[in-house]
RNA sequence: GACCCCUUCGUCUAGUGGUUAGGACACCGGCCUUUCACGCCGGUAACACGGGUUCGAGUCCCGUAGGGGUCGCCA
């Protein structure tokens, strides 16, 4: 039987990073096994359900590149969907649940209790076969011993999570349930329900949770908990999926930075760890940098625009050359505007601290000489520029920085940026000389 | 209160009875350099604790401690 997995989020208005990883693991497994990835929206809690809340999930998954083979085509629960096992919004499946509840009643496995309907739960321990945790024997808790029969339909007629979850997994032919470990204990109820419907339960794989850096449970407000934050901060989605894939799963060798295609190929359930993992912002940042620098220039350019870089009227060649000097040095695309804006405008202020040092009176004479040398350099490219500058430093018997600092400040106004020689070559002789003159004037 | 899961450097992890306990992020030092958010080289740093089993235990068993989860007419 071919693999069918599902991601079943509830539209709460945000996509939790842990939920994103659950979706990723399901998707990875489907793609690895050549199976189907189903998206089902558990929108039974109507209060929080809004088209916007659903969009957050849909957009989040799209951004991550987790395309679903079956599921909603839009954020309209009553709208179109892809796949023949729909509807994929639980709010549209009331009849199916009613039919299944009736089935349990007929079998004598469900009964009414003050208006609600309870499932006749078994009283013995349930063994949960789990691909990651092994066989887990779940005993009843003290409270469950008092009342083992749990509610499957509320007195207002709405079916409860445990029921709809199992019914949908049956109807949708789900073969593997990959979900957070917070559902492990609940699985006893689910297995009992599957049996009540005379259906062999799917394979279960409970994956460890993602915790905060301090080990506490990650909730909505915690730093980094919402996927939207990463989307807005300009993170590269492949970096996020790469980072997330390494939380709980391991390729078992020293691989760290991998393209999605490689992760798909190597991903499998038995390699998943059983221990919870903590979210490490710094490693994600590093991972993002690794993916950012590997981006094709066209993509990088697009991100630069999104980050707010104004290219002015620059030509494409100039833009590509300019961004090329930044790509392997800028860690976050958010930093790009301050890093490269000097390329696209002549109107910038000198950083005070930088200028105070760079434009010190003692530097003026050497810097003026540098201007003349650069005016005469035959080939205005990095290597000749560097050679010329160093030759002059030697001739004047000054440290290289005496020439470099004012040159950088004159060209960019700030102390951090691309390699000085590269940046001057991109700027071109005319622009560099104009900026040198302006700086010289500021030095007197 | 009960039940379930987990425990290797600060963090993510490799390790399936015999290893100098490996890698990555972070950190520290050096080199290069432009004073940098590039790069290169090097370093500090871990088997939670206590009992077993075994010639030998990070690896197997039991216990303790700690962390997480669940027990709802939320999902």
């Amino acid at each position: 039987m071919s693999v069918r997995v599902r991601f079943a989020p509830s539209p709460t208005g945000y996509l939790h990073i842990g939920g994103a990883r659950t979706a990723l693991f399901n998707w990875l497994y489907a793609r690895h096994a050549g199976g189907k990835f189903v998206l089902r929206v558990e929108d039974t809690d109507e209060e929080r359900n809004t088209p916007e809340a659903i969009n957050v999930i849909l957009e989040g998954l799209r951004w991550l590149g987790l395309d679903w083979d079956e599921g909603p085509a839009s954020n309209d629960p009553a709208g179109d969907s892809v796949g023949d096992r729909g509807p994929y919004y639980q709010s549209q499946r009331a009849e199916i649940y009613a039919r299944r509840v009736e089935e349990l009643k007929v079998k004598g496995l469900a009964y009414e209790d003050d208006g609600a309907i309870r499932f006749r739960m078994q009283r013995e321990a349930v063994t949960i076969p789990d691909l990651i945790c092994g066989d887990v024997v779940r005993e009843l808790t003290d409270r469950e011993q008092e009342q083992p029969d749990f509610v499957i339909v509320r007195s207002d007629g709405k079916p409860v999570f445990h029921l709809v979850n199992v019914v949908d997994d049956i109807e949708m032919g789900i073969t593997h349930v990959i979900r957070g470990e917070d559902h492990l204990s609940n699985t006893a109820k689910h297995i009992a329900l599957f049996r009540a419907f005379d259906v062999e339960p799917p394979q279960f794989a409970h994956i460890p949770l993602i915790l905060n850096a301090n080990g506490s449970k990650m909730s909505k407000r915690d730093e980094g908990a919402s996927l939207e934050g990463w989307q807005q901060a300009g993170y590269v989605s492949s970096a996020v999926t790469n980072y997330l894939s390494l939380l709980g799963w391991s390729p078992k060798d020293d691989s760290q930075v991998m393209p999605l295609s490689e992760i798909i190929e190597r991903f499998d359930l038995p390699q998943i760890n059983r221990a919870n993992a903590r979210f490490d912002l710094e490693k994600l940042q590093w991972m993002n940098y690794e993916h950012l620098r590997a981006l094709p220039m066209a993509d990088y350019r697009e991100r630069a625009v999104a980050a707010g870089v104004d290219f002015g009227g620059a030509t494409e060649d100039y833009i590509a050359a300019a961004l090329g000097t930044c790509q392997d040095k800028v860690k976050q695309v958010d930093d790009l505007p301050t890093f490269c804006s000097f390329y696209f405008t002549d109107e910038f202020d000198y950083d005070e601290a930088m200028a105070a040092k760079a434009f010190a009176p003692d530097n003026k004479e050497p810097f003026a000489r540098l201007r003349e040398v650069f005016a005469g350099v035959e080939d205005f490219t990095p290597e000749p520029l560097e050679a010329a500058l160093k030759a002059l430093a030697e001739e004047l018997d000054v440290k290289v920085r005496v020439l470099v600092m004012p040159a950088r400040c004159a060209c960019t106004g700030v102390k951090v940026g691309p390699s000085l020689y590269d940046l001057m070559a991109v700027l071109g002789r005319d622009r560099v000389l104009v900026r040198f003159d302006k700086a010289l004037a500021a030095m007197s």
Side-chain angles (χ1 to χ4, degrees):
Chain A
M1 189 163 59
S2 71
V3 167
R4 290 177 61 82
V5 296
R6 45 69 165 179
F7 177 53
S10 180
T12 56
Y14 83 118
L15 184 50
H16 190 274
I17 197 82
R21 189 189 55 157
T22 298
L24 173 66
F25 280 19
N26 274 282
W27 182 86
L28 246 16
Y29 188 61
R31 293 291 169 268
H32 174 79
K36 301 288 190 202
F37 176 60
V38 179
L39 175 61
R40 177 174 81 225
V41 181
E42 308 217 334
D43 58 339
T44 51
D45 182 4
E46 68 284 345
E47 278 183 30
R48 288 184 291 187
N49 278 320
T50 61
E52 293 73 37
I54 295 169
N55 251 353
V56 169
I57 291 169
L58 266 30
E59 288 307 315
L61 292 176
R62 288 194 186 112
W63 182 74
L64 288 170
L66 309 184
D67 54 320
W68 49 98
D69 304 299
E70 293 178 24
S74 77
N75 65 344
D76 174 12
D80 291 343
S81 60
V82 180
D84 56 4
R85 308 269 195 135
Y88 294 92
Y89 281 96
Q90 290 186 334
S91 59
Q92 310 298 306
R93 301 172 63 79
E95 281 177 36
I96 297 170
Y97 305 135
R99 190 179 357 109
R100 287 294 190 166
V101 169
E102 192 53 34
E103 178 185 342
L104 291 180
K105 278 186 176 168
V106 169
K107 285 178 171 168
L109 294 172
Y111 62 91
E112 199 152 333
D113 176 28
D114 291 339
I117 296 174
R118 288 183 183 274
F119 172 69
R120 226 178 271 288
M121 178 66 179
Q122 68 184 73
R123 263 108 254 241
E124 311 77 40
V126 177
T127 298
I128 303 163
D130 190 281
L131 263 17
I132 294 166
C133 303
D135 282 0
V136 175
V137 179
R138 170 80 212 292
E139 307 275 354
L140 297 198
T141 66
D142 52 0
R143 281 177 197 148
E144 286 167 337
Q145 274 171 12
E146 285 173 30
Q147 172 53 289
D149 301 340
F150 56 93
V151 170
I152 52 175
V153 180
R154 295 185 285 195
S155 47
D156 65 1
K158 294 247 162 52
V160 171
F161 166 73
H162 301 299
L163 191 264
V164 298
N165 194 265
V166 168
V167 167
D168 287 344
D169 283 346
I170 291 171
E171 303 268 343
M172 295 180 183
I174 300 304
T175 60
H176 295 71
V177 171
I178 304 169
R179 65 193 355 173
E181 196 224 70
D182 48 336
H183 285 294
L184 184 55
S185 290
N186 288 155
T187 306
K189 293 185 169 86
H190 300 176
I191 286 177
L193 241 15
F194 277 105
R195 291 195 185 129
F197 288 119
D198 296 306
V199 172
E200 188 61 28
Q203 307 250 71
F204 292 100
H206 287 93
I207 63 181
L209 270 21
I210 298 178
L211 272 24
N212 284 316
N214 65 8
S216 63
K217 185 184 181 182
M218 204 180 217
S219 64
K220 199 166 185 169
R221 295 176 194 286
D222 290 318
E223 165 105 49
S226 171
L227 188 72
E228 250 185 321
W230 304 113
Q231 292 177 251
Q232 285 164 3
Y235 274 68
V236 182
S237 66
S238 64
V240 176
T241 48
N242 193 163
Y243 173 73
L244 251 23
S245 76
L246 260 17
L247 246 35
W249 173 77
S250 166
K252 303 292 185 191
D253 62 10
D254 296 337
S255 303
Q256 303 279 339
V257 182
M258 292 173 280
L260 245 194
S261 56
E262 183 180 341
I263 298 173
I264 289 172
E265 193 179 315
R266 306 179 66 170
F267 185 86
D268 209 349
L269 267 13
Q271 301 160 38
I272 294 176
N273 222 67
R274 300 174 70 167
N276 291 167
R278 299 181 190 210
F279 187 80
D280 184 353
L281 174 60
E282 285 172 329
K283 186 152 185 181
L284 205 208
Q285 285 173 337
W286 165 78
M287 185 65 84
N288 184 58
Y289 164 63
E290 293 296 328
H291 282 257
L292 196 58
R293 68 196 301 201
L295 245 31
M297 180 48 72
D299 287 355
Y300 195 72
R301 182 195 186 291
E302 218 170 282
R303 285 167 190 281
V305 173
V309 176
D310 179 358
F311 294 139
T315 66
E316 286 305 316
D317 284 352
Y318 180 82
I319 293 170
L323 292 181
T325 64
C326 304
Q327 197 174 2
D328 64 358
K329 243 190 145 182
V330 174
K331 289 211 161 181
Q332 312 222 111
V333 79
D334 273 1
D335 298 332
L336 201 47
T338 53
F339 202 84
C340 76
S341 60
F342 71 88
Y343 275 125
F344 308 105
T345 177
D346 297 321
E347 308 301 316
F348 57 80
D349 297 324
Y350 297 126
D351 174 83
E352 263 181 55
M354 172 67 172
K357 278 195 207 168
F359 294 165
D362 286 355
N363 288 352
K364 187 171 183 184
E365 271 316 303
F367 185 51
R369 285 286 306 279
L370 183 66
R371 189 229 180 264
E372 295 319 312
V373 169
F374 280 177
V377 168
E378 204 169 312
D379 181 15
F380 209 78
T381 55
E383 294 73 25
L385 287 173
E386 180 171 1
L389 184 145
K390 286 184 172 166
L392 178 62
E394 195 165 336
E395 182 196 327
L396 299 179
D397 192 27
V398 296
K399 288 191 184 285
V400 171
R401 80 162 73 97
V402 168
L403 298 174
V404 161
M405 280 173 65
R408 169 173 289 283
C409 193
C411 290
T412 76
V414 289
K415 65 175 182 178
V416 242
S419 156
L420 177 64
Y421 310 108
D422 289 345
L423 115 225
M424 290 192 299
V426 172
L427 241 21
R429 190 196 313 265
D430 294 348
R431 249 175 152 168
V432 168
L433 259 24
V434 167
R435 291 185 186 191
F436 272 34
D437 288 339
K438 190 176 168 188
L440 249 5
M443 288 169 89
S444 53

